[in-house]
Amino acid sequence: MAWTRWRARAGVLERLDHADKRAERALDRQRQFAVDAAHELRTPLAGLRLQLEDAQMHPDDTDLRNLLDHALHDLGRVQNIITDLLLLAGLETGAQTTMEEIDLTALVREAVAHRQGVQEVRFHLDPALKIRGVPSHITRLLANLLDNAQRHAARTIWIDLRRKGDSAELTIADDGAGIAPTDRERIFHRFVRLDSARSRDCGGTGLGLAIARDIASAHNGSLHVEDSASGGACFVLRMPLTTNR
C-alpha cells in the first residue's frame, strides 16, 4: 500500500515537473516573440522619426510629397504588423469566431481570379469541396500562400485542389529557387525571412507563413512544404472535409 501511494505521488510530481517545463518553454517563446515584435515595430518607426526630424530641421529643403509618401509607407508597415499580431493572438487564445460551411473550391477559384502577376497560373480544382471554418481566416490563409508563390515563382505557379480521403488537399507550387530541407520548418516561425532584405523592401511582415499554419491548425488541418516537380517549393495544405460523400 505504501509503495502504491509513493508511486502515485511520484507520478503526480513528474507530471507537475513536465507541466512546469512546458510552461517555462511557452514563456520563453512569448519573451522571444515580444522581443522580435518590438524590433519589427521599432524599425519603421525609427525611419519615420528620422525623416520627420530631418524635415523639421530643414523645412525649406524638404520635398513634402516625397516625405508624405515615405511616411505613409512606414505607417502602413506598422499597421500591417499590428494587424498580423492581433490575428496571431486571436488564433493562439482560441478567440470565439463563427464557423460555417465553406466551399473551398469556390474560395480558391475566387482568390486566383483576383490575382495579378507576371507568372502563368495553371490550376486544377475538384468541384464543391466543402470544409468548415471561418471564411475570413481561410481567405487570409490562401492569400498568404499565393503571395508567397508570386514572390518566389520565376514563370509559373501550379495550384491543385483535390479530395484525398476525408480531406481536401491543396498544393501551391512554384518554379523558384525552392527551400532547403533545413529551412522547411523554420519558415513557419514568426518573423523568419530567408531573404530578409527583399521581404522588408516589399513590405512583408515575416508573419505570413506563420499565420497560414496557425489558421490551418485552428481548423484541424495541416500545412507543410516540400519540393515541387519544377524544383521550386510546393506548399501542401490539408483540411478535413465536412462530408465523406
Side-chain angles (χ1 to χ4, degrees):
M1 182 68 69
W3 170 252
T4 301
R5 288 198 299 269
W6 182 87
R7 288 191 62 183
R9 285 196 296 269
V12 170
L13 290 173
E14 184 177 2
R15 289 194 295 273
L16 287 173
D17 182 58
H18 288 165
D20 285 342
K21 289 178 179 177
R22 287 197 300 270
E24 184 60 34
R25 288 195 296 269
L27 284 173
D28 287 341
R29 289 194 298 270
Q30 289 297 325
R31 293 187 192 103
Q32 186 59 51
F33 182 52
V35 170
D36 292 340
H39 174 73
E40 292 292 327
L41 289 168
R42 184 173 55 190
T43 300
L45 289 174
L48 177 58
R49 183 182 182 88
L50 182 63
Q51 294 174 62
L52 293 175
E53 288 177 344
D54 186 63
Q56 186 180 50
M57 292 175 61
H58 310 286
D60 295 336
D61 298 329
T62 298
D63 182 334
L64 182 59
R65 181 178 294 276
N66 185 61
L67 173 65
L68 292 175
D69 286 344
H70 281 85
L72 288 172
H73 176 271
D74 287 340
L75 286 173
R77 175 166 168 71
V78 171
Q79 186 176 31
N80 289 339
I81 293 172
I82 292 172
T83 299
D84 284 355
L85 291 174
L86 289 173
L87 176 55
L88 281 169
L91 291 169
E92 273 198 348
T93 58
Q96 292 298 315
T97 48
T98 303
M99 305 278 280
E100 59 186 75
E101 188 174 74
I102 300 169
D103 186 332
L104 184 59
T105 302
L107 211 58
V108 172
R109 183 177 288 111
E110 182 180 359
V112 173
H114 285 91
R115 287 276 146 176
Q116 292 184 350
V118 297
Q119 300 97 340
E120 177 186 6
V121 178
R122 301 178 185 177
F123 61 92
H124 165 85
L125 308 177
D126 277 0
L129 295 184
K130 305 287 184 65
I131 64 171
R132 188 163 184 81
V134 182
S136 62
H137 288 180
I138 301 300
T139 298
R140 178 62 187 278
L141 187 163
L142 296 175
N144 287 2
L145 293 180
L146 290 170
D147 283 345
N148 183 77
Q150 282 190 308
R151 186 176 299 122
H152 297 291
R155 291 176 298 276
T156 310
I157 297 170
W158 293 268
I159 300 171
D160 189 270
L161 176 63
R162 299 177 186 271
R163 178 190 294 269
K164 290 291 183 72
D166 295 340
S167 299
E169 182 180 272
L170 172 68
T171 61
I172 300 180
D174 63 66
D175 58 351
I179 301 170
T182 53
D183 289 325
R184 290 180 184 174
E185 276 302 306
R186 196 166 68 88
I187 59 169
F188 294 106
H189 296 176
R190 297 167 183 184
F191 297 119
V192 166
R193 301 179 182 86
L194 300 187
D195 186 348
S196 60
R198 181 174 63 177
S199 296
R200 284 193 175 91
D201 288 343
C202 67
T205 64
L207 294 169
L209 293 178
I211 287 173
R213 174 171 275 187
D214 280 7
I215 291 174
S217 297
H219 288 77
N220 299 314
S222 65
L223 176 64
H224 70 275
V225 64
E226 54 193 42
D227 288 329
S228 75
S230 64
C234 178
F235 285 80
V236 182
L237 171 70
R238 293 190 180 96
M239 302 286 286
L241 294 164
T242 57
T243 175
N244 297 332
R245 292 179 299 172

